[in-house]
Amino acid sequence: RKEVEQDPGPFNVPEGATVAFNCTYSNSASQSFFWYRQDCRKEPKLLMSVYSSGNEDGRFTAQLNRASQYISLLIRDSKLSDSATYLCVVRREYGNKLVFGAGTILRVKS
Amino acid sequence: ETGVTQTPRHLVMGMTNKKSLKCEQHLGHNAMYWYKQSAKKPLELMFVYNFKEQTENNSVPSRFSPECPNSSHLFLHLHTLQPEDSALYLCASSQRGPNTGELFFGEGSRLTVL
């Protein structure tokens, strides 16, 4: 079983739609959780951290369920510019080793 | 100037060649990383350096040899590679600490092994 699993998609949605991505992780000792975004032929960049209480950044909402070892990302009012691959990332225990999921592809169409 | 720069951006090499990838960070970070990204696979952590000391070697074959002369520079020396080593090699940096979460990536070096 992969340590971080994501639905690869692609998710094809119209502009203005709400879309949700899920991610599960297998290591219960994981300490921190993140969503990164990677545009086509570009490097990954941090989109947002995921906190236990859930957090929101504009149109983006991240949720964490430690009991189910599950992370989600909700994007409201999708824009064409949201088209990218979204990477679920987990940090193991303490330190600086981050484990990446394979990513979920989002395509927003007009 | 971008925070993390990698050279070359593209590299084609034969299986008997020796080449090196270079990474430089201008962010004042104290940890640097090499990741491998193959098509439809997750990023694979290869090496981690903290304060110039290697702290992680993720079972990487010896044909990949990292070098970290100082906190700002990281190299990946390549020799006798295989075609399956063709991939995007990403360098990243961060601040070392218990809450490390944000990695700053370079644009990557796309390697093709013939």
PDB file of all heavy atoms in Angstrom, chain A residues 24-52:
ATOM      1  N   THR A  24      -5.599   9.777   1.331  1.00  0.00           N
ATOM      2  CA  THR A  24      -5.454   8.978   2.546  1.00  0.00           C
ATOM      3  C   THR A  24      -3.980   8.694   2.777  1.00  0.00           C
ATOM      4  O   THR A  24      -3.195   8.607   1.829  1.00  0.00           O
ATOM      5  CB  THR A  24      -6.219   7.642   2.441  1.00  0.00           C
ATOM      6  OG1 THR A  24      -5.741   6.924   1.298  1.00  0.00           O
ATOM      7  CG2 THR A  24      -7.702   7.861   2.320  1.00  0.00           C
ATOM      8  N   TYR A  25      -3.622   8.565   4.045  1.00  0.00           N
ATOM      9  CA  TYR A  25      -2.238   8.270   4.396  1.00  0.00           C
ATOM     10  C   TYR A  25      -2.224   7.078   5.335  1.00  0.00           C
ATOM     11  O   TYR A  25      -3.153   6.868   6.106  1.00  0.00           O
ATOM     12  CB  TYR A  25      -1.540   9.490   4.997  1.00  0.00           C
ATOM     13  CG  TYR A  25      -2.161  10.020   6.271  1.00  0.00           C
ATOM     14  CD1 TYR A  25      -1.681   9.625   7.521  1.00  0.00           C
ATOM     15  CD2 TYR A  25      -3.218  10.918   6.223  1.00  0.00           C
ATOM     16  CE1 TYR A  25      -2.246  10.114   8.682  1.00  0.00           C
ATOM     17  CE2 TYR A  25      -3.794  11.403   7.387  1.00  0.00           C
ATOM     18  CZ  TYR A  25      -3.307  10.996   8.611  1.00  0.00           C
ATOM     19  OH  TYR A  25      -3.872  11.476   9.764  1.00  0.00           O
ATOM     20  N   SER A  26      -1.144   6.310   5.269  1.00  0.00           N
ATOM     21  CA  SER A  26      -1.122   5.040   6.001  1.00  0.00           C
ATOM     22  C   SER A  26      -0.361   5.109   7.325  1.00  0.00           C
ATOM     23  O   SER A  26      -0.580   4.280   8.200  1.00  0.00           O
ATOM     24  CB  SER A  26      -0.517   3.947   5.128  1.00  0.00           C
ATOM     25  OG  SER A  26       0.808   4.281   4.777  1.00  0.00           O
ATOM     26  N   ASN A  27       0.526   6.088   7.470  1.00  0.00           N
ATOM     27  CA  ASN A  27       1.352   6.168   8.671  1.00  0.00           C
ATOM     28  C   ASN A  27       0.661   7.012   9.735  1.00  0.00           C
ATOM     29  O   ASN A  27       0.586   8.232   9.621  1.00  0.00           O
ATOM     30  CB  ASN A  27       2.715   6.762   8.304  1.00  0.00           C
ATOM     31  CG  ASN A  27       3.697   6.705   9.462  1.00  0.00           C
ATOM     32  OD1 ASN A  27       3.313   6.575  10.626  1.00  0.00           O
ATOM     33  ND2 ASN A  27       4.975   6.792   9.157  1.00  0.00           N
ATOM     34  N   SER A  28       0.165   6.353  10.775  1.00  0.00           N
ATOM     35  CA  SER A  28      -0.604   7.074  11.799  1.00  0.00           C
ATOM     36  C   SER A  28       0.257   8.038  12.606  1.00  0.00           C
ATOM     37  O   SER A  28      -0.263   8.890  13.309  1.00  0.00           O
ATOM     38  CB  SER A  28      -1.282   6.070  12.738  1.00  0.00           C
ATOM     39  OG  SER A  28      -0.309   5.250  13.356  1.00  0.00           O
ATOM     40  N   ALA A  29       1.580   7.887  12.496  1.00  0.00           N
ATOM     41  CA  ALA A  29       2.474   8.786  13.227  1.00  0.00           C
ATOM     42  C   ALA A  29       2.760  10.070  12.446  1.00  0.00           C
ATOM     43  O   ALA A  29       3.519  10.922  12.910  1.00  0.00           O
ATOM     44  CB  ALA A  29       3.797   8.075  13.537  1.00  0.00           C
ATOM     45  N   SER A  30       2.169  10.202  11.293  1.00  0.00           N
ATOM     46  CA  SER A  30       2.383  11.413  10.487  1.00  0.00           C
ATOM     47  C   SER A  30       1.953  12.628  11.278  1.00  0.00           C
ATOM     48  O   SER A  30       0.948  12.611  11.990  1.00  0.00           O
ATOM     49  CB  SER A  30       1.588  11.332   9.182  1.00  0.00           C
ATOM     50  OG  SER A  30       2.024  10.227   8.417  1.00  0.00           O
ATOM     51  N   GLN A  31       2.724  13.710  11.121  1.00  0.00           N
ATOM     52  CA  GLN A  31       2.516  14.859  11.980  1.00  0.00           C
ATOM     53  C   GLN A  31       1.906  16.064  11.277  1.00  0.00           C
ATOM     54  O   GLN A  31       1.133  16.796  11.866  1.00  0.00           O
ATOM     55  CB  GLN A  31       3.869  15.295  12.571  1.00  0.00           C
ATOM     56  CG  GLN A  31       4.441  14.325  13.564  1.00  0.00           C
ATOM     57  CD  GLN A  31       3.602  14.238  14.808  1.00  0.00           C
ATOM     58  OE1 GLN A  31       3.050  15.232  15.292  1.00  0.00           O
ATOM     59  NE2 GLN A  31       3.469  13.041  15.365  1.00  0.00           N
ATOM     60  N   SER A  32       2.285  16.273  10.051  1.00  0.00           N
ATOM     61  CA  SER A  32       1.851  17.496   9.364  1.00  0.00           C
ATOM     62  C   SER A  32       1.410  17.147   7.958  1.00  0.00           C
ATOM     63  O   SER A  32       1.879  16.169   7.369  1.00  0.00           O
ATOM     64  CB  SER A  32       2.992  18.513   9.290  1.00  0.00           C
ATOM     65  OG  SER A  32       3.505  18.782  10.559  1.00  0.00           O
ATOM     66  N   PHE A  33       0.524  17.997   7.444  1.00  0.00           N
ATOM     67  CA  PHE A  33      -0.127  17.674   6.186  1.00  0.00           C
ATOM     68  C   PHE A  33      -0.229  18.929   5.333  1.00  0.00           C
ATOM     69  O   PHE A  33      -0.433  20.033   5.852  1.00  0.00           O
ATOM     70  CB  PHE A  33      -1.519  17.107   6.466  1.00  0.00           C
ATOM     71  CG  PHE A  33      -1.494  16.010   7.486  1.00  0.00           C
ATOM     72  CD1 PHE A  33      -1.618  16.303   8.837  1.00  0.00           C
ATOM     73  CD2 PHE A  33      -1.277  14.700   7.108  1.00  0.00           C
ATOM     74  CE1 PHE A  33      -1.546  15.302   9.799  1.00  0.00           C
ATOM     75  CE2 PHE A  33      -1.202  13.693   8.057  1.00  0.00           C
ATOM     76  CZ  PHE A  33      -1.344  13.987   9.396  1.00  0.00           C
ATOM     77  N   PHE A  34      -0.088  18.735   4.027  1.00  0.00           N
ATOM     78  CA  PHE A  34      -0.027  19.892   3.134  1.00  0.00           C
ATOM     79  C   PHE A  34      -0.656  19.543   1.791  1.00  0.00           C
ATOM     80  O   PHE A  34      -0.696  18.375   1.386  1.00  0.00           O
ATOM     81  CB  PHE A  34       1.442  20.288   2.885  1.00  0.00           C
ATOM     82  CG  PHE A  34       2.257  20.401   4.146  1.00  0.00           C
ATOM     83  CD1 PHE A  34       2.936  19.291   4.641  1.00  0.00           C
ATOM     84  CD2 PHE A  34       2.336  21.589   4.832  1.00  0.00           C
ATOM     85  CE1 PHE A  34       3.668  19.376   5.810  1.00  0.00           C
ATOM     86  CE2 PHE A  34       3.069  21.685   6.005  1.00  0.00           C
ATOM     87  CZ  PHE A  34       3.730  20.576   6.486  1.00  0.00           C
ATOM     88  N   TRP A  35      -1.078  20.559   1.104  1.00  0.00           N
ATOM     89  CA  TRP A  35      -1.414  20.441  -0.312  1.00  0.00           C
ATOM     90  C   TRP A  35      -0.436  21.304  -1.092  1.00  0.00           C
ATOM     91  O   TRP A  35      -0.241  22.486  -0.782  1.00  0.00           O
ATOM     92  CB  TRP A  35      -2.846  20.903  -0.588  1.00  0.00           C
ATOM     93  CG  TRP A  35      -3.886  19.922  -0.154  1.00  0.00           C
ATOM     94  CD1 TRP A  35      -4.639  19.964   0.979  1.00  0.00           C
ATOM     95  CD2 TRP A  35      -4.279  18.739  -0.858  1.00  0.00           C
ATOM     96  NE1 TRP A  35      -5.473  18.880   1.036  1.00  0.00           N
ATOM     97  CE2 TRP A  35      -5.288  18.097  -0.079  1.00  0.00           C
ATOM     98  CE3 TRP A  35      -3.905  18.142  -2.064  1.00  0.00           C
ATOM     99  CZ2 TRP A  35      -5.909  16.919  -0.465  1.00  0.00           C
ATOM    100  CZ3 TRP A  35      -4.514  16.964  -2.455  1.00  0.00           C
ATOM    101  CH2 TRP A  35      -5.507  16.356  -1.656  1.00  0.00           C
ATOM    102  N   TYR A  36       0.160  20.697  -2.110  1.00  0.00           N
ATOM    103  CA  TYR A  36       1.011  21.403  -3.049  1.00  0.00           C
ATOM    104  C   TYR A  36       0.312  21.411  -4.397  1.00  0.00           C
ATOM    105  O   TYR A  36      -0.509  20.543  -4.702  1.00  0.00           O
ATOM    106  CB  TYR A  36       2.369  20.696  -3.210  1.00  0.00           C
ATOM    107  CG  TYR A  36       3.410  21.058  -2.171  1.00  0.00           C
ATOM    108  CD1 TYR A  36       3.253  20.695  -0.829  1.00  0.00           C
ATOM    109  CD2 TYR A  36       4.563  21.752  -2.536  1.00  0.00           C
ATOM    110  CE1 TYR A  36       4.212  21.025   0.107  1.00  0.00           C
ATOM    111  CE2 TYR A  36       5.535  22.082  -1.592  1.00  0.00           C
ATOM    112  CZ  TYR A  36       5.343  21.711  -0.286  1.00  0.00           C
ATOM    113  OH  TYR A  36       6.300  22.032   0.649  1.00  0.00           O
ATOM    114  N   ARG A  37       0.686  22.384  -5.197  1.00  0.00           N
ATOM    115  CA  ARG A  37       0.150  22.480  -6.546  1.00  0.00           C
ATOM    116  C   ARG A  37       1.312  22.424  -7.524  1.00  0.00           C
ATOM    117  O   ARG A  37       2.360  23.036  -7.303  1.00  0.00           O
ATOM    118  CB  ARG A  37      -0.579  23.819  -6.673  1.00  0.00           C
ATOM    119  CG  ARG A  37      -0.965  24.173  -8.093  1.00  0.00           C
ATOM    120  CD  ARG A  37      -1.482  25.580  -8.210  1.00  0.00           C
ATOM    121  NE  ARG A  37      -1.585  25.901  -9.634  1.00  0.00           N
ATOM    122  CZ  ARG A  37      -2.607  26.539 -10.167  1.00  0.00           C
ATOM    123  NH1 ARG A  37      -3.606  26.944  -9.402  1.00  0.00           N
ATOM    124  NH2 ARG A  37      -2.632  26.803 -11.460  1.00  0.00           N
ATOM    125  N   GLN A  38       1.127  21.662  -8.623  1.00  0.00           N
ATOM    126  CA  GLN A  38       2.163  21.597  -9.651  1.00  0.00           C
ATOM    127  C   GLN A  38       1.524  21.861 -11.004  1.00  0.00           C
ATOM    128  O   GLN A  38       0.688  21.082 -11.471  1.00  0.00           O
ATOM    129  CB  GLN A  38       2.861  20.228  -9.652  1.00  0.00           C
ATOM    130  CG  GLN A  38       4.046  20.172 -10.600  1.00  0.00           C
ATOM    131  CD  GLN A  38       4.875  18.909 -10.453  1.00  0.00           C
ATOM    132  OE1 GLN A  38       4.406  17.901  -9.930  1.00  0.00           O
ATOM    133  NE2 GLN A  38       6.133  18.956 -10.901  1.00  0.00           N
ATOM    134  N   ASP A  39       1.911  22.952 -11.610  1.00  0.00           N
ATOM    135  CA  ASP A  39       1.451  23.253 -12.969  1.00  0.00           C
ATOM    136  C   ASP A  39       2.246  22.414 -13.955  1.00  0.00           C
ATOM    137  O   ASP A  39       3.357  21.952 -13.654  1.00  0.00           O
ATOM    138  CB  ASP A  39       1.629  24.740 -13.268  1.00  0.00           C
ATOM    139  CG  ASP A  39       0.701  25.613 -12.430  1.00  0.00           C
ATOM    140  OD1 ASP A  39      -0.414  25.167 -12.132  1.00  0.00           O
ATOM    141  OD2 ASP A  39       1.096  26.731 -12.076  1.00  0.00           O
ATOM    142  N   CYS A  40       1.677  22.273 -15.155  1.00  0.00           N
ATOM    143  CA  CYS A  40       2.305  21.447 -16.186  1.00  0.00           C
ATOM    144  C   CYS A  40       3.733  21.922 -16.460  1.00  0.00           C
ATOM    145  O   CYS A  40       3.976  23.107 -16.715  1.00  0.00           O
ATOM    146  CB  CYS A  40       1.461  21.509 -17.457  1.00  0.00           C
ATOM    147  SG  CYS A  40       2.035  20.397 -18.742  1.00  0.00           S
ATOM    148  N   ARG A  41       4.678  21.021 -16.361  1.00  0.00           N
ATOM    149  CA  ARG A  41       6.093  21.294 -16.650  1.00  0.00           C
ATOM    150  C   ARG A  41       6.702  22.344 -15.710  1.00  0.00           C
ATOM    151  O   ARG A  41       7.655  23.035 -16.080  1.00  0.00           O
ATOM    152  CB  ARG A  41       6.288  21.698 -18.104  1.00  0.00           C
ATOM    153  CG  ARG A  41       5.859  20.606 -19.078  1.00  0.00           C
ATOM    154  CD  ARG A  41       6.389  20.819 -20.469  1.00  0.00           C
ATOM    155  NE  ARG A  41       6.143  19.649 -21.309  1.00  0.00           N
ATOM    156  CZ  ARG A  41       6.932  18.592 -21.339  1.00  0.00           C
ATOM    157  NH1 ARG A  41       8.009  18.539 -20.597  1.00  0.00           N
ATOM    158  NH2 ARG A  41       6.645  17.573 -22.128  1.00  0.00           N
ATOM    159  N   LYS A  42       6.130  22.444 -14.529  1.00  0.00           N
ATOM    160  CA  LYS A  42       6.656  23.371 -13.535  1.00  0.00           C
ATOM    161  C   LYS A  42       6.957  22.607 -12.250  1.00  0.00           C
ATOM    162  O   LYS A  42       6.583  21.450 -12.097  1.00  0.00           O
ATOM    163  CB  LYS A  42       5.633  24.469 -13.231  1.00  0.00           C
ATOM    164  CG  LYS A  42       5.365  25.384 -14.402  1.00  0.00           C
ATOM    165  CD  LYS A  42       6.500  26.356 -14.587  1.00  0.00           C
ATOM    166  CE  LYS A  42       6.125  27.456 -15.560  1.00  0.00           C
ATOM    167  NZ  LYS A  42       7.238  28.415 -15.717  1.00  0.00           N
ATOM    168  N   GLU A  43       7.601  23.296 -11.314  1.00  0.00           N
ATOM    169  CA  GLU A  43       7.915  22.666 -10.052  1.00  0.00           C
ATOM    170  C   GLU A  43       6.724  22.743  -9.094  1.00  0.00           C
ATOM    171  O   GLU A  43       5.880  23.637  -9.197  1.00  0.00           O
ATOM    172  CB  GLU A  43       9.150  23.330  -9.419  1.00  0.00           C
ATOM    173  CG  GLU A  43       8.925  24.736  -8.859  1.00  0.00           C
ATOM    174  CD  GLU A  43       9.030  25.825  -9.909  1.00  0.00           C
ATOM    175  OE1 GLU A  43       8.912  25.549 -11.120  1.00  0.00           O
ATOM    176  OE2 GLU A  43       9.214  26.985  -9.483  1.00  0.00           O
ATOM    177  N   PRO A  44       6.641  21.838  -8.115  1.00  0.00           N
ATOM    178  CA  PRO A  44       5.577  21.926  -7.112  1.00  0.00           C
ATOM    179  C   PRO A  44       5.752  23.158  -6.229  1.00  0.00           C
ATOM    180  O   PRO A  44       6.878  23.566  -5.934  1.00  0.00           O
ATOM    181  CB  PRO A  44       5.772  20.649  -6.269  1.00  0.00           C
ATOM    182  CG  PRO A  44       6.650  19.757  -7.083  1.00  0.00           C
ATOM    183  CD  PRO A  44       7.505  20.654  -7.920  1.00  0.00           C
ATOM    184  N   LYS A  45       4.620  23.712  -5.809  1.00  0.00           N
ATOM    185  CA  LYS A  45       4.648  24.848  -4.880  1.00  0.00           C
ATOM    186  C   LYS A  45       3.599  24.626  -3.803  1.00  0.00           C
ATOM    187  O   LYS A  45       2.531  24.084  -4.066  1.00  0.00           O
ATOM    188  CB  LYS A  45       4.362  26.155  -5.625  1.00  0.00           C
ATOM    189  CG  LYS A  45       5.447  26.553  -6.602  1.00  0.00           C
ATOM    190  CD  LYS A  45       5.182  27.896  -7.236  1.00  0.00           C
ATOM    191  CE  LYS A  45       6.312  28.254  -8.205  1.00  0.00           C
ATOM    192  NZ  LYS A  45       6.075  29.538  -8.886  1.00  0.00           N
ATOM    193  N   LEU A  46       3.925  25.059  -2.589  1.00  0.00           N
ATOM    194  CA  LEU A  46       2.997  24.901  -1.480  1.00  0.00           C
ATOM    195  C   LEU A  46       1.721  25.695  -1.734  1.00  0.00           C
ATOM    196  O   LEU A  46       1.767  26.892  -2.010  1.00  0.00           O
ATOM    197  CB  LEU A  46       3.649  25.376  -0.179  1.00  0.00           C
ATOM    198  CG  LEU A  46       2.773  25.283   1.068  1.00  0.00           C
ATOM    199  CD1 LEU A  46       2.480  23.828   1.412  1.00  0.00           C
ATOM    200  CD2 LEU A  46       3.443  25.988   2.249  1.00  0.00           C
ATOM    201  N   LEU A  47       0.580  25.015  -1.646  1.00  0.00           N
ATOM    202  CA  LEU A  47      -0.717  25.680  -1.756  1.00  0.00           C
ATOM    203  C   LEU A  47      -1.209  26.068  -0.367  1.00  0.00           C
ATOM    204  O   LEU A  47      -1.536  27.221  -0.113  1.00  0.00           O
ATOM    205  CB  LEU A  47      -1.714  24.747  -2.442  1.00  0.00           C
ATOM    206  CG  LEU A  47      -3.142  25.241  -2.579  1.00  0.00           C
ATOM    207  CD1 LEU A  47      -3.202  26.434  -3.514  1.00  0.00           C
ATOM    208  CD2 LEU A  47      -4.070  24.135  -3.074  1.00  0.00           C
ATOM    209  N   MET A  48      -1.259  25.103   0.523  1.00  0.00           N
ATOM    210  CA  MET A  48      -1.675  25.402   1.896  1.00  0.00           C
ATOM    211  C   MET A  48      -1.339  24.252   2.815  1.00  0.00           C
ATOM    212  O   MET A  48      -1.248  23.100   2.385  1.00  0.00           O
ATOM    213  CB  MET A  48      -3.173  25.711   1.968  1.00  0.00           C
ATOM    214  CG  MET A  48      -4.093  24.636   1.486  1.00  0.00           C
ATOM    215  SD  MET A  48      -5.777  25.221   1.172  1.00  0.00           S
ATOM    216  CE  MET A  48      -6.258  25.894   2.757  1.00  0.00           C
ATOM    217  N   SER A  49      -1.151  24.583   4.075  1.00  0.00           N
ATOM    218  CA  SER A  49      -1.004  23.571   5.100  1.00  0.00           C
ATOM    219  C   SER A  49      -2.403  23.123   5.527  1.00  0.00           C
ATOM    220  O   SER A  49      -3.391  23.826   5.288  1.00  0.00           O
ATOM    221  CB  SER A  49      -0.276  24.148   6.310  1.00  0.00           C
ATOM    222  OG  SER A  49       1.002  24.624   5.934  1.00  0.00           O
ATOM    223  N   VAL A  50      -2.483  21.966   6.139  1.00  0.00           N
ATOM    224  CA  VAL A  50      -3.768  21.428   6.578  1.00  0.00           C
ATOM    225  C   VAL A  50      -3.727  21.277   8.087  1.00  0.00           C
ATOM    226  O   VAL A  50      -2.888  20.541   8.612  1.00  0.00           O
ATOM    227  CB  VAL A  50      -4.063  20.053   5.937  1.00  0.00           C
ATOM    228  CG1 VAL A  50      -5.463  19.584   6.303  1.00  0.00           C
ATOM    229  CG2 VAL A  50      -3.877  20.104   4.429  1.00  0.00           C
ATOM    230  N   TYR A  51      -4.611  21.959   8.771  1.00  0.00           N
ATOM    231  CA  TYR A  51      -4.623  21.936  10.233  1.00  0.00           C
ATOM    232  C   TYR A  51      -5.774  21.076  10.733  1.00  0.00           C
ATOM    233  O   TYR A  51      -6.782  20.889  10.046  1.00  0.00           O
ATOM    234  CB  TYR A  51      -4.736  23.360  10.787  1.00  0.00           C
ATOM    235  CG  TYR A  51      -3.622  24.258  10.315  1.00  0.00           C
ATOM    236  CD1 TYR A  51      -3.887  25.420   9.592  1.00  0.00           C
ATOM    237  CD2 TYR A  51      -2.291  23.934  10.567  1.00  0.00           C
ATOM    238  CE1 TYR A  51      -2.863  26.232   9.146  1.00  0.00           C
ATOM    239  CE2 TYR A  51      -1.263  24.748  10.128  1.00  0.00           C
ATOM    240  CZ  TYR A  51      -1.565  25.899   9.412  1.00  0.00           C
ATOM    241  OH  TYR A  51      -0.546  26.696   8.976  1.00  0.00           O
ATOM    242  N   SER A  52      -5.624  20.582  11.946  1.00  0.00           N
ATOM    243  CA  SER A  52      -6.624  19.677  12.525  1.00  0.00           C
ATOM    244  C   SER A  52      -8.013  20.294  12.569  1.00  0.00           C
ATOM    245  O   SER A  52      -9.021  19.602  12.421  1.00  0.00           O
ATOM    246  CB  SER A  52      -6.201  19.263  13.933  1.00  0.00           C
ATOM    247  OG  SER A  52      -5.000  18.543  13.892  1.00  0.00           O
TER     248      SER A  52
END
